[in-house]
Amino acid sequence: MFIDRAVVRVVAGTGGSGASSFARFKYNPKGGPDGGDGGHGGSIYVRADANLATLLDYRYRNLWKAGRGEHGRGKTQTGASTDDLYLPVPPGTVVRDAETGVLLGEVLREGDTLLVARGGRGGRGNARFATSTHQAPREWEPGQEGEERQIELVLKLIADVGLVGEPNAGKSTLLSVLSAARPKIADYPFTTLEPNLGVVALLGHRTFVMADIPGIIEGAHAGKGLGLRFLQHVERTRVLAFLVPLDAPDPQETYHRLREEVRLYSEVLAGTPHVLLLTKRDLLPPDDPLPIVHAPDAAGTLAISSVAGTGLDELKEFLWTFLERTRSAAAEAGATPPALDVPGYWEFMDDE
Ligand SMILES: Nc1nc2c(ncn2[C@@H]2O[C@H](COP(=O)(O)OP(=O)(O)OP(=O)(O)O)[C@@H](O)[C@H]2O)c(=O)[nH]1
Ligand SMILES: [Mg+2]
């Protein structure tokens, strides 16, 4: 199961108080001030750990406290500082202040660390307050309070393939047959309001992530229909799959419209490598020739049926090979992997 979001309270440790104490020796009962400083309270960090794939732990436990620093003691002994607390999260986790929404940072690579609540400084002991004119100070400071805040952890999954199509093109259905995701499917437009993600598994433990987004209509780039929301979601996927149902009156025209809509939204997005998927193959008699759709920029055209299961294995292998190719091209160009930011809450069951 993947959990993409968790809100937890982090409470850093308070610093130990400084001590107020005077040295007493056998022959010098009035030694100088020797109260030591308090130790630091523990800070809390979020740290990327590649062994983790979910934020599940934080769903079950949502309060994390670091220990307080020890108080200072006589003989100028400084109180012990407490160990900092590290919260392990999967790489790709974004951290925000849950109350203000302010971005605190993100941990993208294994070992990346981010301070989320600073431990309080230890207070000074009276030994520190001694001056030439003030030789027997009794002052001492309490330890500083540790920071406390509510943080929101959001896991950004990198979506490899983004499905783009008009309402009813069969995007959600395709995702549901290729992965364990269970998006809502219906024969009315705009069934999908928020993107859904699914893990597509192939033989040999190969997987990729597919994102199903709300349907796109003419004028979408200008905010029509569900507006720009969906296009923002595919902006960061590695490749796009344009879905054109074979019962469309003019598949060529539909493909053009989709491409144009994407181009009007962003030239960069229009340049994302893509494939053309002719969906609902079962609606044409099996012996009828497929309509010819010219798609010179597409890496390939495949006809599939999610309902009859036609062409799905071929599609998975094709997308895998296509992704491998774009990955190595991107690595050569030194590009960092794009990520899909899914708003709100979603979860889905993994195939394994
Ligand atoms: N015959 C047939 N029907 C299909 C196929 N795939 C999807 N459908 C049907 O087409 C309708 C729309 O499917 P969805 O998967 O919800 O389409 P969508 O692209 O996600 O639609 P929106 O979320 O509204 O953008 C549903 O009634 C599906 O059952 C297919 O391969 N063959
Ligand atoms: Mg849908």
Side-chain angles (χ1 to χ4, degrees), residues 7-50:
V7 173
V8 295
R9 182 142 210 103
V10 286
V11 184
T14 300
S17 298
S20 184
S21 150
F22 290 90
R24 280 172 227 291
F25 302 107
K26 204 168 175 187
Y27 303 106
N28 181 7
K30 278 196 177 169
D34 72 348
D37 301 340
H40 294 304
S43 295
I44 303 185
Y45 295 87
V46 163
R47 180 161 61 191
D49 178 344

Side-chain angles (χ1 to χ4, degrees), residues 249-302:
D250 185 348
Q252 180 76 63
E253 171 60 27
T254 307
Y255 172 67
H256 274 315
R257 209 160 44 231
L258 288 171
R259 290 276 294 154
E260 183 62 4
E261 215 40 60
V262 167
R263 193 187 63 75
L264 289 171
Y265 174 73
S266 145
E267 288 283 351
V268 176
L269 185 59
T272 304
H274 76 277
V275 297
L276 170 59
L277 302 185
L278 301 174
T279 63
K280 309 193 184 183
R281 173 80 183 82
D282 57 292
L283 293 183
L284 290 188
D287 298 332
D288 273 21
L290 291 177
I292 308 251
V293 182
H294 291 287
D297 296 334
T301 301
L302 288 91

Side-chain angles (χ1 to χ4, degrees), residues 34-299:
D34 72 348
D37 301 340
H40 294 304
S43 295
I44 303 185
Y45 295 87
V46 163
R47 180 161 61 191
D49 178 344
N51 294 319
L52 290 175
T54 76
L55 293 168
L56 196 60
D57 294 349
Y58 300 99
R59 232 190 154 190
Y60 296 116
R61 178 164 169 199
N62 50 23
L63 176 64
W64 298 80
K65 275 180 154 172
R68 61 170 305 145
E70 273 182 29
H71 298 316
R73 286 187 302 275
K75 299 181 185 164
T76 57
Q77 293 179 73
T78 302
S81 293
T82 309
D83 287 343
D84 294 329
L85 191 62
Y86 290 88
L87 308 184
V89 297
T93 299
V94 179
V95 187
R96 287 176 195 281
D97 184 305
E99 274 135 23
T100 62
V102 169
L103 180 71
L104 301 177
E106 45 191 14
V107 289
L108 299 180
R109 271 163 297 270
E110 164 77 6
D112 281 1
T113 344
L114 178 74
L115 177 67
V116 290
R118 190 185 297 278
R121 249 187 306 108
R124 288 179 295 174
N126 69 334
R128 300 254 186 195
F129 291 88
T131 61
S132 55
T133 55
H134 184 46
Q135 294 187 355
R138 295 188 175 277
E139 299 95 313
W140 56 277
E141 282 174 343
Q144 195 187 37
E145 286 209 354
E147 273 181 344
E148 175 173 352
R149 56 155 57 108
Q150 192 106 338
I151 56 168
E152 179 192 41
L153 305 169
V154 176
L155 176 59
K156 275 197 203 173
L157 256 200
I158 294 162
D160 299 299
V161 181
L163 303 181
V164 178
E166 292 183 337
N168 281 335
K171 302 176 294 295
S172 301
T173 309
L174 179 61
L175 181 73
S176 76
V177 296
L178 292 188
S179 78
R182 290 291 165 262
K184 193 172 166 203
I185 293 162
D187 61 359
Y188 55 84
F190 303 117
T191 311
T192 302
L193 301 177
E194 295 287 351
N196 297 290
L197 292 184
V199 177
V200 180
L202 290 83
L203 284 179
H205 296 287
R206 294 170 298 158
T207 58
F208 62 83
V209 177
M210 186 176 258
D212 158 37
I213 60 160
I216 179 173
I217 57 166
E218 197 161 7
H221 73 276
K224 280 220 184 117
L226 287 170
L228 305 169
R229 289 207 337 243
F230 49 84
L231 285 167
Q232 288 162 1
H233 293 304
V234 282
E235 206 161 17
R236 286 176 275 177
T237 59
R238 266 190 249 273
V239 307
L240 297 178
F242 286 88
L243 277 71
V244 175
L246 281 166
D247 63 344
D250 185 348
Q252 180 76 63
E253 171 60 27
T254 307
Y255 172 67
H256 274 315
R257 209 160 44 231
L258 288 171
R259 290 276 294 154
E260 183 62 4
E261 215 40 60
V262 167
R263 193 187 63 75
L264 289 171
Y265 174 73
S266 145
E267 288 283 351
V268 176
L269 185 59
T272 304
H274 76 277
V275 297
L276 170 59
L277 302 185
L278 301 174
T279 63
K280 309 193 184 183
R281 173 80 183 82
D282 57 292
L283 293 183
L284 290 188
D287 298 332
D288 273 21
L290 291 177
I292 308 251
V293 182
H294 291 287
D297 296 334

